[in-house]
Amino acid sequence: MKIKDATFITSVAGADKFLKTDKPIIAVAGKSNVGKSSLINMLANRKKLARTSVTPGRTRLINYFDFGDFILADLPGYGYAKVSKEEKQKWGKLLESFLATQKINLLLSLVDIRHDPTADDKMMVNYLYHYAIPFCLVATKADKLGKTKIKPRCKEIATELRVGVGDITASSAETGYGKEEILSLIEKAITPVED
């Protein structure tokens, strides 16, 4: 799958504004600063499509992007400690409302390969299983580990999150590692099944 052109559509702060589309939806979720924007930029072959920030908790809205064959929804990062409880609850409600009401073809659930999954990461995976939302785990920042450590680390994360080792893909927005694998997962998710 080749992404020819990706464009920003809109940002929404409430369920009443969720984008209505006939195109398949691919969602990207993960805790603050896990590399959602960097991953989106890597998939789009663009440096500044999604705004990246050193400051965690920048994505407070749902940002929609048109990737041609599908719509990509960048969900607010969860688990950021330096925001008020009210703000966290607001993000949580927005996230939950989105997951409960939108038809998602595939959700890319991001975890940082260098760290053990957090309680929030585990809650997200349990939620996805509970609501039968198709998902794939993406272990970001793989360039920060030696090549020989990537597979064993993915296996550890998969065990911790109780998913099959085949359900986790290591990636690096810096080097493009894992990009083709992620794009082929997206392609499979948006291709209609023949009867």
Side-chain angles (χ1 to χ4, degrees), residues 71-122:
I71 299 296
L72 188 140
D74 179 16
L75 306 178
Y78 53 77
Y80 181 49
K82 290 186 182 171
V83 294
S84 70
K85 202 173 176 182
E86 292 78 32
E87 188 75 12
K88 266 191 195 168
Q89 285 174 336
K90 205 165 92 183
W91 293 354
K93 279 191 181 121
L94 183 65
L95 196 59
E96 203 166 318
S97 177
F98 181 86
L99 296 175
T101 62
Q102 302 301 289
K103 187 192 177 308
I104 302 166
N105 289 65
L106 181 68
L107 184 137
L108 302 174
S109 186
L110 276 52
V111 292
D112 188 325
I113 198 164
R114 302 166 301 171
H115 307 296
D116 288 336
T118 63
D120 286 328
D121 292 325
K122 290 174 184 171

Side-chain angles (χ1 to χ4, degrees), residues 25-57:
I25 294 177
I26 303 297
V28 179
K31 66 180 195 268
S32 297
N33 232 18
V34 76
K36 291 190 305 298
S37 299
S38 298
L39 178 97
I40 292 165
N41 290 335
M42 174 182 79
L43 296 177
N45 297 315
R46 302 250 314 264
K47 283 203 180 353
K48 293 182 179 160
L49 178 64
R51 272 191 246 153
T52 58
S53 172
V54 181
T55 315

